[in-house]
Amino acid sequence: VRRLREGGSRIDRSRPVDFRFDGREMSGFEGDTLASALLANGVGAGFRSPVLGRPRGVYSAGPEEPNAFVAVLEPSVDLIAAATMVPLTGGLVAESRAGVADLADADASRVRTCRRIHRHVETLIIGAGAAGIEHAQAAAEDGDRVLVVDERPEAVVGVPEGDEITVLARATALGVYDHGYVVIHERSYSGERVWHVRAERVVLATGAHERPIAFAGNDRPGVMLAGAVATYAAMYGVQAGERAVVFVTNDWGVKVAGGLRELGLEVAEVIDARSGSRIVGTRGGARVREIDVRDGDGAERSVEADLVAVNGGFNPVIGLWRAIGGEVRYEAAVSCFVPDRDGPPWLRVVGAAAGELPPSEPLWFVQEGDDSEKFVDLQRDQTVADIARAVEGGLRSVEHVKRATYIGTAVDQGRTSGVLTAEIVNQLLGSDPGAQGPTGARPPSTPVSYAAVAGPDRGMLLDPVRRTPLHSWHVEHGAIFENVGQWKRPWYFPHAGESMDTAVQRECRAVRTAVGIMDASTLGKIEVVGPDAPAFLDRMYTNSMSTLRVGHIRYGLMLGLDGMAFDDGVVMRLAEDRYLVTTTTGGAAKVLDRFEEWLQTEWPDLRVYCTSVTEQWATIAVAGAHARDVVAAAGTDVDLSVEAFPFMTFRDGLVAGLPARTARVSFSGELAYELNVASWHGLAMWEAVVAAGEPFGIEPYGTEAMHVLRAEKGFAIVGQETDGTVTPHDLGMSWIVNDDKGDFVGRRSLRRTDLVRPDRKQLVGLLTEDPEAVLPEGAQIVLEDTGRIPMPMAGHVTSSYPSAVLGRSIALAMVERGRELHGTTVYAPLLEGTIAARVTDPVFYDPEGARRDG
Amino acid sequence: MLLIPCPWCGPRDEAEFRYGGQADISYPIDPDALTDEQWADYLFMRDNPRGDFAERWTHAAGCRKWFTVVRSTVTHEIVGSYRVGEEPQA
């Protein structure tokens, strides 16, 4: 055992802790990290590099570790972690990993719980070193609530908590964002938490990482960072080797060598680069046994040693600073990049992170020796030779070299390799040190699992699910649902053994030949109320709503300011000063947003209030030749005769004993009644109508049949036929644009040169030559089947279905100059062959509207 | 994530708001009187300054009010926020 006889300020030698690593039972002490315990057990070299499979050992004592990665399997699963960051705990089971997680370790039943916490504090300190503690205590004395986070294990952090100071260990600040918003990932054996902290002041006290020197054979186990060797000796009472050589570029490193001797380690020699001496090679298989040294006078010699402690200076840990746009400058005295200029007023960098570092001479790599043995990024197995190859290949920017070599992209995010790479590139290009800094930094500063970021937002909690008041009936009757925004809508209702096509054809036939019933509750509904409501709606719709009489209904189309179709729906006038506006299912929120925006920002003088009432109402469409019979059979005090209750009007009354607003609107072209009832009466009404409709052969139908039925009638759907580039004129709906009523949103744009081009795409119908062929939606349309690619594309198919009532397929399409092309043949060239189709009017069924009144 | 001072509700996370682009682009009094170029200028062209920028936000998941924020496009520092009808201090 390589434990020193005494010392180790962080371990408690009276409390041994048993653990298992790579199948071997071992023992350490409370306060150990897995890395210190492995070194104490003499197995710190039991790792492999991910690409080349070279033997590797523990290299550091902190989060910059590039070699010693493990999967923790007990007491809870952590797919990949640096051994230097894993606190030793009783029953710990870990296995070495070559820097790459193995998903086979993921046991879904044992994945740690992930929670999210929101916290507000006056001062957030990132890093619990000397500078961080000093600032935390000062802030607490000023009365601040203080949160201190540090990514090292609890025993390492050891900050005294006070009433106003909260300390999180094993907590990594993933990113610092605008206005003091910081996201922190906290790990423990019981679970993970992501903290979303808003702080008035953020202090980056993230310290500095030691910088290695790239020399031949520097990846051999036994080569470690000098400060890490000292940490293991002083804090954990562990000697990382029997006989050390110290290779440094500065006085700090020389002092460390002295400290190691005082702690009882044998230090064979200090190789100080400033005297011209260099390590030019290491020997010894899977563990250093001997090093080759070349002195300043050129003399070469060998030194026996199993530990090489290296320090080439320090790099401030400023990834968080740089990710929020903080600038850096090269500071020659400490040969590294330090924060430059002021950042945002709420952010400070202090201590070593701010560049308060011991002076150091620059030495990035040793000239002598084989470049392909001088490792720069240990975790990507990239060497000075790899960088040289990239530079010789013409790459001048460190960013390009990074992308050519993948340096800095591994789990350790280049903590030890980033600055080294930049300076090696500078040197190879003959530039001064600091000419180019390291590559850009962005969050997360350390890899974090999706599960931790998602926290509780998974499964049913990922996104709200909206269900209509009739949902339970649909489930009981075997509906297949489709998602429309957050809504679950019945897509179709298959009978036993039916395919989707068969079910949809049956549902369509029911509506065309008997009667169908559909849940239309998801349609957006907005009450627009106030003395100026008529004038307001006239400005929002292309047609006039002020002339709509009470008790009547009008279809309306809204445009964007750019003149493009935005949303549509029917509008009911409930009273002189009260309208019920309906929107598409997916458009409800954006229509309300738009109403409120215009009312608040352009027309605050209009006395109008808008209220979303979508979920107050259940809406049931009864459609088909027998619709009147069914509503009558359900029992109503409303006179349903055509004369008393014409198309596009509504009546309030009782249906099936329930108060209902019954509207004569139709999206299928058939006689239809839309029953609007309070949401809590929805299910009772639906069941009553289904029961009343049974003798007439009523069938529930879903959104797919609804789409087919409306396509047979040539009704465009905003968002299906349109894509934000389609005007009402393109849709053949010039009849709905009332140019005489005054201004409305989008009106001026309709006169723009581009919107009156004669060659715009226009809505047409397509009938394939082969009535069985169903064009794929999205298929491109060409006017001539030249067989040569490319062909000028004239349009695309927007809707396409087999139609039961027509006994053939139908399609809608947007085609250039489409209305001039009626009667001509166009082509859809597809991978599996070209489909020819005749251009027609988009209304395929009952063009004279004979079925509307039953 | 910005901390946006809603003039009605106080400071709230950016996630509660929706962005509305440059402020004080008034709807033309008589769109018919504008040439295509003038209309396109109103419709499409917006300033993109380096520095303070008056922009519209709406507290979509809060009070649903539209208001104006003056924000530095360089530092994201928010100089102030103003209700409809209040004038940002130049």
Side-chain angles (χ1 to χ4, degrees):
Chain A
V1 174
R2 294 165 175 267
R3 200 71 81 162
L4 293 164
R5 260 190 298 282
E6 54 190 47
S9 57
R10 282 179 194 147
I11 54 167
D12 183 346
R13 291 179 188 247
S14 68
R15 303 176 78 174
V17 174
D18 293 329
F19 68 102
R20 184 151 26 117
F21 176 71
D22 278 348
R24 286 174 58 190
E25 302 294 335
M26 299 182 192
S27 182
F29 293 121
E30 184 145 318
D32 263 326
T33 64
L34 178 56
S36 67
L38 290 175
L39 286 169
N41 282 273
V43 292
F47 297 90
R48 291 270 163 193
S49 77
V51 183
L52 301 174
R54 292 166 71 103
R56 292 282 164 81
V58 174
Y59 190 73
S60 74
E64 68 270 39
E65 177 60 38
N67 283 343
F69 283 92
V70 298
V72 179
L73 306 175
E74 298 284 351
S76 61
V77 174
D78 194 348
L79 292 180
I80 189 126
T84 52
M85 303 299 281
V86 174
L88 200 63
T89 188
L92 178 77
V93 176
E95 290 177 3
S96 59
R97 291 285 177 269
V100 179
D102 184 351
L103 285 179
D105 297 333
D107 175 350
S109 64
R110 295 182 59 238
V111 168
R112 295 184 288 195
T113 57
C114 299
R115 295 200 167 81
R116 179 182 303 134
I117 292 182
H118 292 268
R119 181 64 63 91
H120 289 82
V121 294
E122 279 77 32
T123 297
L124 170 65
I125 312 271
I126 302 172
I133 292 169
E134 185 189 323
H135 281 82
Q137 285 168 342
E141 278 165 25
D142 289 347
D144 284 5
R145 287 167 297 175
V146 180
L147 181 64
V148 181
V149 302
D150 194 297
E151 57 190 338
R152 295 169 296 176
E154 203 167 4
V156 180
V157 176
V159 178
E161 285 203 51
D163 290 344
E164 296 299 334
I165 302 183
T166 308
V167 180
L168 300 180
R170 301 191 74 194
T172 307
L174 298 174
V176 174
Y177 302 89
D178 294 309
H179 298 173
Y181 194 78
V182 182
V183 178
I184 295 154
H185 180 217
E186 183 194 16
R187 298 175 178 212
S188 77
Y189 286 119
S190 60
E192 293 178 59
R193 294 193 289 194
V194 171
W195 294 65
H196 293 251
V197 177
R198 179 77 72 176
E200 266 179 39
R201 287 172 289 281
V202 177
V203 178
L204 295 180
T206 39
H209 291 323
E210 290 185 274
R211 185 169 54 237
I213 302 164
F215 56 87
N218 65 332
D219 71 324
R220 200 181 302 281
V223 178
M224 294 177 68
L225 294 167
V229 173
T231 297
Y232 285 119
M235 307 295 179
Y236 302 96
V238 170
Q239 57 180 112
E242 302 288 342
R243 186 178 148 91
V245 162
V246 178
F247 182 26
V248 297
T249 62
N250 51 65
D251 287 346
W252 184 87
V254 175
K255 255 185 263 171
V256 165
L260 291 178
R261 285 189 177 115
E262 279 172 34
L263 288 164
L265 265 79
E266 184 187 348
V267 177
E269 191 177 339
V270 177
I271 299 168
D272 191 333
R274 291 172 296 184
S275 70
S277 294
R278 303 276 190 272
I279 294 181
V280 295
T282 66
R283 279 181 273 152
R287 172 90 207 189
V288 173
R289 253 191 5 254
E290 210 170 4
I291 60 164
D292 298 326
V293 180
R294 176 179 293 181
D295 287 318
D297 57 9
E300 297 198 7
R301 60 200 171 80
S302 294
V303 181
E304 256 184 57
D306 68 344
L307 178 63
V308 182
V310 181
N311 181 282
F314 289 88
N315 295 322
V317 180
I318 47 176
L320 294 169
W321 166 260
R322 291 167 59 233
I324 194 159
E327 298 190 34
V328 297
R329 68 166 193 279
Y330 183 75
E331 189 66 51
V334 287
S335 37
C336 63
F337 294 90
V338 301
D340 192 23
R341 303 193 203 153
D342 289 339
W346 46 268
L347 183 63
R348 283 187 67 191
V349 191
V350 301
E356 293 170 17
L357 293 166
S360 185
E361 291 291 312
L363 175 61
W364 322 115
F365 70 100
V366 172
Q367 291 285 352
E368 296 84 355
D370 182 352
D371 279 352
S372 65
E373 296 278 311
K374 301 169 190 168
F375 283 81
V376 178
D377 188 331
L378 289 159
Q379 219 190 335
R380 283 288 184 228
D381 275 328
Q382 290 292 305
T383 65
V384 173
D386 295 310
I387 297 175
R389 196 173 306 124
V391 171
E392 282 156 17
L395 303 183
R396 293 290 177 271
S397 159
V398 176
E399 296 286 354
H400 293 159
V401 171
K402 169 187 177 171
R403 282 153 182 79
T405 60
Y406 298 137
I407 286 175
T409 60
V411 180
D412 67 345
Q413 292 284 286
R415 289 187 194 231
T416 52
S417 60
V419 172
L420 213 51
T421 302
E423 294 298 5
I424 292 170
V425 170
N426 287 334
Q427 190 169 334
L428 292 174
L429 290 172
S431 310
D432 291 335
Q436 284 192 70
T439 55
R442 64 191 72 84
S445 62
T446 297
V448 57
S449 69
Y450 282 111
V453 173
D457 297 342
R458 53 199 294 173
M460 288 301 289
L461 296 180
L462 179 63
D463 197 37
V465 174
R466 301 174 78 185
R467 299 181 184 85
T468 77
L470 315 174
H471 188 82
S472 60
W473 192 95
H474 305 324
V475 172
E476 283 165 24
H477 291 77
I480 305 296
F481 291 88
E482 73 166 334
N483 295 328
V484 183
Q486 292 169 329
W487 286 103
K488 296 283 179 197
R489 297 197 71 180
W491 196 13
Y492 56 100
F493 292 85
H495 292 174
E498 261 185 344
S499 70
M500 175 174 172
D501 273 352
T502 321
V504 170
Q505 299 269 310
R506 172 179 50 72
E507 291 172 15
C508 288
R509 256 195 316 273
V511 175
R512 290 284 181 230
T513 62
V515 62
I517 182 167
M518 191 192 71
D519 183 356
S521 306
T522 62
L523 285 182
K525 305 170 204 71
I526 302 166
E527 275 208 24
V528 180
V529 183
D532 295 318
F536 172 65
L537 291 180
D538 275 356
R539 298 184 198 180
M540 301 312 296
Y541 285 92
T542 62
N543 50 347
S544 170
M545 293 300 168
S546 58
T547 54
L548 182 64
R549 284 174 291 153
V550 174
H552 286 248
I553 304 172
R554 191 166 286 167
Y555 170 78
L557 179 68
M558 278 181 272
L559 308 183
L561 262 177
D562 57 3
M564 305 303 170
F566 173 80
D567 203 77
D568 68 346
V570 298
V571 177
M572 302 184 195
R573 190 161 195 175
L574 307 179
E576 283 301 323
D577 64 348
R578 184 175 291 260
Y579 293 82
L580 183 74
V581 164
T582 68
T583 73
T584 60
T585 295
K590 70 179 185 186
V591 171
L592 181 64
D593 285 350
R594 162 189 161 112
F595 283 179
E596 292 186 344
E597 179 179 348
W598 282 93
L599 285 169
Q600 287 181 39
T601 63
E602 289 293 345
W603 307 316
D605 53 309
L606 292 185
R607 292 158 299 167
V608 178
Y609 297 91
C610 303
T611 309
S612 168
V613 294
T614 300
E615 285 167 8
Q616 312 302 310
W617 297 93
T619 303
I620 298 166
V622 185
H626 287 305
R628 184 177 290 115
D629 305 326
V630 172
V631 177
T636 179
D637 57 1
V638 174
D639 183 347
L640 299 175
S641 67
V642 181
E643 299 72 32
F645 191 176
F647 187 58
M648 294 305 260
T649 63
F650 67 88
R651 299 286 179 267
D652 288 334
L654 290 175
V655 176
L658 299 169
R661 177 175 296 143
T662 304
R664 274 207 57 200
V665 291
S666 177
F667 199 35
S668 59
E670 299 295 324
L671 172 68
Y673 295 87
E674 190 185 85
L675 307 170
N676 293 280
V677 298
S679 58
W680 53 89
H681 286 150
L683 189 55
M685 176 63 84
W686 177 278
E687 286 175 339
V689 175
V690 168
E694 221 164 290
F696 303 97
I698 199 166
E699 301 234 20
Y701 66 101
T703 50
E704 188 65 17
M706 175 189 82
H707 278 113
V708 178
L709 295 165
R710 65 89 206 177
E712 289 169 349
K713 287 291 293 177
F715 293 144
I717 289 183
V718 175
Q720 173 119 8
E721 271 62 45
T722 75
D723 58 5
T725 69
V726 177
T727 72
H729 302 305
D730 299 338
L731 289 170
M733 292 173 66
S734 301
W735 53 269
I736 204 169
V737 180
N738 182 339
D739 214 32
D740 303 327
K741 65 164 178 161
D743 196 23
F744 57 84
V745 174
R747 176 171 175 270
R748 174 62 184 84
S749 285
L750 293 177
R751 283 202 286 116
R752 289 180 59 229
T753 323
D754 186 54
L755 272 57
V756 296
R757 276 189 297 116
D759 60 344
R760 290 185 62 83
K761 289 184 183 179
Q762 296 168 336
L763 181 69
V764 297
L766 293 181
L767 290 174
T768 50
E769 278 183 0
D770 171 6
E772 299 293 314
V774 181
L775 287 161
E777 288 176 2
Q780 294 294 315
I781 297 297
V782 299
L783 302 184
E784 281 180 82
D785 180 23
T786 63
R788 287 190 309 276
I789 295 172
M791 301 173 222
M793 290 180 286
H796 61 279
V797 176
T798 58
S799 294
S800 180
Y801 312 94
S803 163
V805 70
L806 298 167
R808 57 153 303 131
S809 72
I810 56 167
L812 299 174
M814 296 297 298
V815 178
E816 285 173 15
R817 299 178 192 269
R819 285 194 286 274
E820 296 171 17
L821 296 177
H822 286 194
T824 66
T825 300
V826 295
Y827 305 89
L830 302 164
L831 281 179
E832 55 274 21
T834 296
I835 299 179
R838 187 162 49 86
V839 179
T840 71
D841 188 85
V843 183
F844 298 102
Y845 184 68
D846 185 27
E848 55 285 345
R851 307 187 60 82
R852 187 183 81 187
D853 291 329
Chain B
M1 176 154 50
L2 303 180
L3 187 67
I4 297 175
C6 171
W8 301 89
C9 306
R12 295 289 188 277
D13 280 347
E14 180 185 345
E16 295 184 13
F17 298 85
R18 202 156 47 77
Y19 188 60
Q22 184 175 356
D24 303 320
I25 306 284
S26 295
Y27 187 71
I29 292 167
D30 183 5
D32 279 340
L34 302 185
T35 63
D36 266 13
E37 286 71 26
Q38 289 168 324
W39 178 252
D41 190 55
Y42 158 72
L43 201 55
F44 300 121
M45 303 309 287
R46 296 294 181 267
D47 296 339
N48 185 21
R50 180 181 171 85
D52 285 354
F53 186 50
E55 59 196 16
R56 303 186 316 151
W57 289 83
T58 179
H59 197 179
C63 64
R64 295 190 64 80
K65 290 288 191 190
W66 282 89
F67 57 96
T68 299
V69 169
V70 177
R71 175 184 62 98
S72 165
T73 58
V74 179
T75 65
H76 293 312
E77 199 172 343
I78 290 176
V79 179
S81 64
Y82 311 90
R83 300 178 183 189
V84 171
E86 287 180 347
E87 283 299 307
Q89 305 300 307

